[in-house]
Amino acid sequence: MICDLRSDTVTQPTPAMLDAMMHAKVGDDVFGEDPTVNKLETMCAEMLGMEGAVFCASGTMTNQIGIKILTQPYDEVICYQGAHIYKYEGGGLAGNSQVSVRLLKGNRGRISAEEVLANINNTKDIHLPLTTVVALENTVVREAGSFYRLSEIEKLSELAQSKNLKMHLDGARLFNALVETGDRAIDYGKHFDSISICLSKGLGAPVGSVLAYKKEYETKARRIRKAFGGGMRQAGFLAAAGIYALNHHVARLKEDHLRAKKLGEALQKSSWVKSAMPVDTNIVIVEVIDGLTPEMVLSKLSECQIKALPFSATSIRFVTHLDFTDVMLEKCMSVFSKINF
Ligand SMILES: *Cc1c(COP(=O)(O)O)cnc(C)c1O
């Protein structure tokens, strides 16, 4: 039994999901003729309180399109200093949108209206890039899946509106946040100009992300997806997995969070762990004790068929997901307590 905790992207489609994929009605989506893609896009737009949506191959693509439709070259985007759009998208903001970034420290990755306000450039000063977008991430992957409440987002969007800034949400794990806060997805739409969600993370689809947006971006988003090489043809087979995931795999995210909490508690008690970040959703990040490296720990874990990721020079990341069961949890807890250095 292999316990693969490297990421929530490692899941296999369930038999019921595969069945939905096999029976999908498809067409050429570049012609707008794939009924299953169209259904997924409409479903996501409605669910998120938005007016349009486009199905893409990855969350990197939806984020990159999201930023590009909201900016002009030389603009500046404000985000958390560890944001996925900045740190883990291969420099795409510079390459695709030619924008600069203003990086904020945030509180466990959540940036506040006050912090944003202090970092909006004076539009009258021609030395300074024009601040045009505030980009949030929910949940925050670098900060062990910490999440925003809608009340904090309301303050940010109020500020953005008053300063004429656009708002983008990297909601790769938005549903992980929502099952904890009880906030509704539909209430997110009015605060953002674009929202990216991933179907292939906690929701367990094999491929796919969706970018939802306001009506005015419909043509531009599709044009840019095409220019990025992201126009897919009979993509309905993949969209069907996404529809299935949204219908069946959202509420169960709570289980992943519960298992992550237990995993975090077991790790905290382990002799080789110095400290653990608070576990808010499905991500556990621990610091190893002085004298150990993540690689030393990971090689011992791997002898016991447990996989995790080195996260920094001193920390390791574990992520729970659809294919991580209670039996695996028991095994991990037992292994954690037994390994010694
Ligand atoms: C995974 C992830 C993405 C998108 O990643 P892809 O691998 O390109 O689908 C975007 N943002 C966050 C926070 C993520 O964790």
Side-chain angles (χ1 to χ4, degrees), residues 166-177:
K166 303 278 180 14
M167 294 266 290
H168 171 75
L169 176 65
D170 176 354
R173 295 187 182 82
L174 176 61
F175 294 98
N176 292 85

Side-chain angles (χ1 to χ4, degrees), residues 294-315:
E295 288 69 27
M296 290 160 75
V297 173
L298 289 170
S299 88
K300 281 237 185 190
L301 290 176
S302 123
E303 286 166 21
C304 303
Q305 317 268 329
I306 297 172
K307 295 185 187 181
L309 270 192
F311 200 62
S312 73
T314 53
S315 66

Side-chain angles (χ1 to χ4, degrees), residues 58-61 63 84 89 137 139 141 170 172-173 198 200-201 209:
S58 71
T60 298
M61 185 178 276
N63 277 331
H84 196 281
E89 299 188 4
E137 187 172 306
T139 66
V141 65
D170 176 354
R173 295 187 182 82
C198 286
S200 60
K201 298 273 168 82
S209 287

Side-chain angles (χ1 to χ4, degrees), residues 31-65:
F31 294 148
E33 290 174 4
D34 190 301
T36 311
V37 171
N38 293 343
K39 184 174 166 189
L40 172 67
E41 291 176 344
T42 305
M43 181 180 178
C44 288
E46 283 173 1
M47 180 183 281
L48 293 164
M50 283 292 202
E51 294 159 339
V54 66
F55 180 51
C56 294
S58 71
T60 298
M61 185 178 276
T62 45
N63 277 331
Q64 292 298 317
I65 296 173

Side-chain angles (χ1 to χ4, degrees), residues 26 144 154 188 217 224:
V26 299
E154 278 163 5
Y188 266 67
Y217 300 113
I224 291 165

Side-chain angles (χ1 to χ4, degrees), residues 1-5 304-307 323-324 328 331:
M1 179 172 60
I2 296 173
C3 303
D4 193 344
L5 292 159
C304 303
Q305 317 268 329
I306 297 172
K307 295 185 187 181
D323 290 350
F324 181 68
M328 293 177 182
K331 175 189 156 160

Side-chain angles (χ1 to χ4, degrees), residues 266 269-272 331-340:
K269 287 188 213 139
S270 305
S271 61
W272 46 276
K331 175 189 156 160
C332 287
M333 297 201 296
S334 141
V335 169
F336 293 162
S337 67
K338 280 189 199 122
I339 55 174
N340 274 303

